[in-house]
């Protein structure tokens, strides 16, 4: 089996290299392999630690080797071009070679590629990946995963079922998680916005009576440092001075390995000419280089400078292709769709009006048949970077033409990656873009909750990039936006800003005096300010009950709700959910129950692994110790109210208990619930 998987993975590597040569014009790679590094955190972003990708794989081995009572899911997040695919293929290939050569008794890694195709479910993707082995099926892989003999590496999980096409992301993993029964490891790559938006909200919405036992860790792939970039470029004979003369934004972009390689190849081939600071960005140069190659493929004859499509027409064609891919929720399209895109770019009804174009379109990049599926010839971009930037191009055209319905549609189809977001903000007049975003409202999206979540996340990403680019917060209200990443206003000019019906993972407040930030129906999980900021009266409308953490840098943390409330009050923050000063003191057991449940929502698991004395066995559950004398009574009340069920299971070491919630933690947290079990629980807590 290892031998067959090794053969398959070597073919994947050869295919990646061949596509670079044939479709991008790159020469064979001469750079030495540079291992990806990741920052691993817990599900809620806590306990960050930097690791090499091989050290992450060591963690996978460790989790496969013991009975923990919970399936471990590693989310490998990162931008397009940061090297997620290469890292996963390399890890799987190295392990297959080790096992084949009997160099240790370690599990195999099954690499499953879902990028570029829409499949019915994860089983279909796994069956496609194991077809070459002749003796494996998805069902057999589940058994081997549960026994710790195989770990699944799923590349491009966010594209497995077409992005936002399904209402609950967790559903596509649910069968596997149930089959594994609290054992095994899944390593899943996806863009960061997908994890923060669809997957997290899907997990937290899940409220089935009995759901899978899962714990999550997040591995964010890190960009290369300047030293790593210079070292890599040195392999290609590109002097450090050429890198250092790039604009700051371009130097930052080369932290993504794909862009560093593209820069090295363009320098090596003489296609990159240095110019003054007013020249096009490196991204634009890369797109122009890509378009020039494709333009030559459509030349009337070899060596001709005139083609069936000029560069601008080809750019518009690819922009329409990106739009079709978004609407169809695939990263491949049929040749008929490619012809339609070309006709739309030329504004003609019949492609035959331009003689010979229909036939010559077949030679464009990525037009190929997947031999494994024996399907029709399909077009795909060689790299997601090109898709991201051509999507930004069509969005810009819609914005400048005032086509608000088209903007709304594209916002709702899939989460935009960094390249699309930054491309739109860079190419469109800021005032025009702000006006367009201000007109977007979630109720206008007549679709699923997943689509509305997608619009909100894209709005948050666009607003965050506008704020970063302009270094100021717009006075125009920001409405219905979800900020998946940190919103750092510490170096931002803030006048009279407002956030209405927004969600923020993390908010860093502005420094200095005179700023005003109004929160209206807006949830914030973490707020950060400087220790010297004693006057925060410009911050109004805060719901302190939503806060999981309040930090005054560098080291003052508040986690408990009363402590958060007091810290905000003493600094003049406007709080909308504060109890009256004359209200009776909330009993500790009530405050503790709210604290535990709020953290269980963030922990996003329906099961906890506890020691025989009901104390947590997992160091990541340190929040259970905030009220050390209340945890055991809290567990007892949950169990007595039939909101949780303790189950014993076999594991190495001391005896352990699996505490399985019978309802979602968010449901239990609702003190006004109509469910009798939840009413009984809160009556016991408050009694």
């Amino acid at each position: 089996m290892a031998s067959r998987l090794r053969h398959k993975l070597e073919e994947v590597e050869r295919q990646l290299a061949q596509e670079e040569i044939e479709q991008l014009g790159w020469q064979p790679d001469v750079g030495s392999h540079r291992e990806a590094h990741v920052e691993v955190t817990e599900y809620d972003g806590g306990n960050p630690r930097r690791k090499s990708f091989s050290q992450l794989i060591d963690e996978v081995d460790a989790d496969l080797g013991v009975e923990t009572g919970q399936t471990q899911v590693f989310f490998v997040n990162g931008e397009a071009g940061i090297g997620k695919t290469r890292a996963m293929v390399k890890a799987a290939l190295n392990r297959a070679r080790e096992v084949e050569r009997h160099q240790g008794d370690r599990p195999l890694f099954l690499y499953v590629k879902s990028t570029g195709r829409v499949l019915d479910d994860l089983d279909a993707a796994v069956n496609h990946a194991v077809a070459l082995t002749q003796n494996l099926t998805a069902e057999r892989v589940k058994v081997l995963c549960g026994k710790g003999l195989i770990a699944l590496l799923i590349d491009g999980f966010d594209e497995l079922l077409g992005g936002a096409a399904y209402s609950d992301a967790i559903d596509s993993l649910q069968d596997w998680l149930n089959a594994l029964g609290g054992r095994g490891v899944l390593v899943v790559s996806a863009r960061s916005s997908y994890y923060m938006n669809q997957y997290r909200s899907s997990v937290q919405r899940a409220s089935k009576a009995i759901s899978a036992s899962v714990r999550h860790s997040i591995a964010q792939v890190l960009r290369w440092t300047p030293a790593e970039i210079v070292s890599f470029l040195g392999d290609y004979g590109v002097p450090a001075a050429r890198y250092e003369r790039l604009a700051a934004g371009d130097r930052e972009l080369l932290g993504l390995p794909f862009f560093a390689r593209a820069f090295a190849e363009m320098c090596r081939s003489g296609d990159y000419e240095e110019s003054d600071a007013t020249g096009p960005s490196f991204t634009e140069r890369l797109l122009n280089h890509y378009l020039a190659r494709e333009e030559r493929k459509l030349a009337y004859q070899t060596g001709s400078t005139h083609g069936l499509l000029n560069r601008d027409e080809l750019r518009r064609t690819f922009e329409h292709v990106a739009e079709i891919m978004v609407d169809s929720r695939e990263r491949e399209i049929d040749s008929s769709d490619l012809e339609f895109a070309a006709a739309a770019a030329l504004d003609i009804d019949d492609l035959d009006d331009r003689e010979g174009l229909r036939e010559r379109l077949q030679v464009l990049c990525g037009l190929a048949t997947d031999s494994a599926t024996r399907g029709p010839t399909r077009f795909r971009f060689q790299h997601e970077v090109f898709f991201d930037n051509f999507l930004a191009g069509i969005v810009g055209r819609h914005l400048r033409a005032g086509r608000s319905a088209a903007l709304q549609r594209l916002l709702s189809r899939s989460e935009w990656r960094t390249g699309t977001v930054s491309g739109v903000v860079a190419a469109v007049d800021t005032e025009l873009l702000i006006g367009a975003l201000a007109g977007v409202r979630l109720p206008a999206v007549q679709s699923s909750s997943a689509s509305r979540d997608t619009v909100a996340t894209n709005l948050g990403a666009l607003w965050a990039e506008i704020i970063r680019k302009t270094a100021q917060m717009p006075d125009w209200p920001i409405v219905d936006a979800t900020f998946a990443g940190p919103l750092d206003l510490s170096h931002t000019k803030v006048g009279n800003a407002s956030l209405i019906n927004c969600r923020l993972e993390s908010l860093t407040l502005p420094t200095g005096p005179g700023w005003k930030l109004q929160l209206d129906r807006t949830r914030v999980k973490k707020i950060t300010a400087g220790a010297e900021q004693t006057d925060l009266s410009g911050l109004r409308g805060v719901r302190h009950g939503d806060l999981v953490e309040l930090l005054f840098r560098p080291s003052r943390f508040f986690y408990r709700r009363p402590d958060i409330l007091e810290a905000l009050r003493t600094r003049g923050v406007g709080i909308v959910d504060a109890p009256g000063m004359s209200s009776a003191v909330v009993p500790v057991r009530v405050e503790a129950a709210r604290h535990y449940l709020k953290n269980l929502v963030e922990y996003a698991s329906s099961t906890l692994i506890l020691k025989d004395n009901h104390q947590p066995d997992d160091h990541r559950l340190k929040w259970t110790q905030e009220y050390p004398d209340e945890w055991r009574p809290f567990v007892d009340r949950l169990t007595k109210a039939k909101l949780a069920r303790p189950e014993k299971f076999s594991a190495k070491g001391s005896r352990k208990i699996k505490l399985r919630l019978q309802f979602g933690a968010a449901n239990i947290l609702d003190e006004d619930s109509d469910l009798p079990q939840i009413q009984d629980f809160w009556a016991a807590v408050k009694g």
Side-chain angles (χ1 to χ4, degrees), residues 68-86:
T68 64
Q70 293 176 304
T71 299
Q72 172 70 64
V73 177
F74 284 99
F75 254 95
V76 180
N77 294 338
E79 306 163 74
I82 205 165
K84 300 186 297 294
T85 292
R86 297 276 188 177

Side-chain angles (χ1 to χ4, degrees), residues 38-338:
V38 295
E39 183 179 73
V40 182
T41 65
E42 310 308 344
Y43 185 84
D44 61 357
N47 191 26
R49 57 248 187 231
R50 182 184 170 114
K51 296 177 179 289
S52 66
F53 202 83
S54 61
Q55 289 172 324
L56 177 68
I57 293 301
D58 290 340
E59 286 197 19
V60 172
D61 287 337
D63 283 317
L64 280 169
V66 297
E67 172 63 73
T68 64
Q70 293 176 304
T71 299
Q72 172 70 64
V73 177
F74 284 99
F75 254 95
V76 180
N77 294 338
E79 306 163 74
I82 205 165
K84 300 186 297 294
T85 292
R86 297 276 188 177
M88 295 179 81
V89 170
K90 182 69 71 176
L93 179 55
N94 288 344
R95 180 56 53 84
R97 286 169 173 163
E98 288 177 20
V99 174
E100 184 183 16
R101 297 166 184 164
H102 303 283
Q103 294 176 334
D105 184 19
R106 297 206 282 180
L108 282 168
F109 296 141
L110 179 63
Y111 173 76
V112 179
K113 179 183 179 183
S114 29
T115 304
R117 58 172 61 88
V118 172
L119 299 167
D120 293 334
D121 52 33
L122 183 54
D123 280 0
V126 172
N127 280 324
H128 185 270
V130 298
L132 187 68
T133 67
Q134 300 176 9
N135 59 352
L136 279 184
T137 63
E139 289 304 313
R140 289 176 177 177
V141 171
K142 287 177 186 175
V143 175
L144 292 171
C145 281
K147 298 294 185 183
L149 298 173
I150 281 184
L152 222 57
L153 309 186
I154 308 170
D155 188 15
F157 176 72
D158 46 333
E159 292 177 30
L160 179 62
L161 298 177
Y166 48 99
S167 60
D168 253 329
I170 193 66
D171 282 352
S172 55
L173 275 182
Q174 195 69 52
D175 286 346
W176 275 76
L177 296 175
N178 289 337
L180 292 176
R183 299 181 298 274
V185 179
L186 302 178
V187 181
V188 176
S189 84
R191 57 189 182 275
S192 303
S193 61
Y194 170 85
Y195 165 72
M196 295 300 298
N197 178 23
Q198 285 191 228
Y199 188 81
R200 287 194 65 168
S201 61
S202 170
V203 170
Q204 293 182 3
R205 284 197 304 268
S207 58
K208 297 178 181 178
I210 299 178
S211 55
S213 301
V214 190
R215 73 174 196 250
H216 302 83
S217 294
I218 316 305
Q220 184 73 33
V221 183
L222 303 174
R223 290 190 176 197
W224 282 348
T225 64
E228 288 173 315
I229 298 169
V230 169
S231 170
F232 174 82
L233 294 176
D235 290 348
Y236 288 81
V238 179
R242 294 202 70 175
Y243 163 73
E244 292 162 356
R245 283 196 291 268
L246 290 171
D250 289 343
R251 290 199 304 274
E252 184 180 345
L253 194 63
L254 263 59
L256 298 169
F258 174 82
F259 285 94
R261 174 76 186 280
F263 180 70
E265 292 289 347
M266 292 169 70
C267 289
R268 184 163 68 164
S269 64
D271 290 332
Y272 187 90
E273 297 179 2
E274 296 185 77
S275 61
D276 58 27
T278 61
S281 68
F282 177 67
T283 300
E284 188 60 28
R285 291 173 189 257
L286 179 61
L287 289 178
N288 285 334
H289 184 254
Y290 179 79
L291 290 167
R293 280 187 53 81
E294 300 309 309
E295 184 184 22
R296 288 195 292 271
K297 293 179 181 178
L298 296 177
Y300 287 111
Q301 57 188 21
T302 304
S304 172
T305 58
H306 300 288
L308 291 163
L309 290 176
N310 63 37
R311 197 170 303 180
D312 288 339
E313 292 168 338
L314 194 55
R315 179 187 288 266
R316 291 199 301 272
T317 297
F318 285 155
E319 289 174 352
H320 284 292
V321 165
E323 184 170 27
I324 292 170
M325 288 178 172
V326 169
D327 284 333
S328 64
R329 297 185 171 98
E330 291 193 62
R331 293 297 179 264
E332 295 179 354
I333 62 171
D334 295 333
S335 56
S336 59
D337 289 324
L338 180 60

Side-chain angles (χ1 to χ4, degrees), residues 314-384:
L314 194 55
R315 179 187 288 266
R316 291 199 301 272
T317 297
F318 285 155
E319 289 174 352
H320 284 292
V321 165
E323 184 170 27
I324 292 170
M325 288 178 172
V326 169
D327 284 333
S328 64
R329 297 185 171 98
E330 291 193 62
R331 293 297 179 264
E332 295 179 354
I333 62 171
D334 295 333
S335 56
S336 59
D337 289 324
L338 180 60
E339 293 171 6
F340 176 83
L346 297 172
D347 196 21
I348 58 178
D349 294 327
D350 190 344
L351 206 62
D352 291 332
D353 290 350
R354 187 164 292 194
E355 185 178 356
L357 179 57
R358 188 186 303 275
E359 293 75 21
R360 292 292 292 166
L361 273 178
Q362 305 304 311
V363 304
L364 282 178
C365 71
L367 206 59
T369 299
D370 187 335
S371 59
T373 60
R374 296 184 176 87
T377 302
R378 312 199 82 201
F379 173 90
R380 65 180 180 271
F381 292 113
Q382 194 277 332
H383 200 283
E384 287 288 282

Side-chain angles (χ1 to χ4, degrees), residues 434-501:
I434 288 175
L437 297 184
V440 175
R441 292 292 183 271
L442 297 192
V445 182
Q446 302 299 322
S447 189
S448 65
S449 60
S451 291
R452 291 192 291 274
D453 288 345
T454 300
V455 174
T457 301
N458 286 334
L459 284 174
L462 287 163
W463 282 119
E465 179 63 13
I466 290 171
I467 293 167
R468 189 197 67 80
K469 176 188 174 185
T470 62
Q472 68 179 47
M473 187 98 167
D475 289 339
W476 202 300
I478 295 176
V479 184
D480 293 338
T482 294
F483 292 85
L487 181 60
D488 188 347
L489 304 179
S490 57
H491 301 291
T492 302
K493 180 182 177 183
V494 178
N496 191 16
S498 61
L499 295 166
I500 302 173
N501 196 36

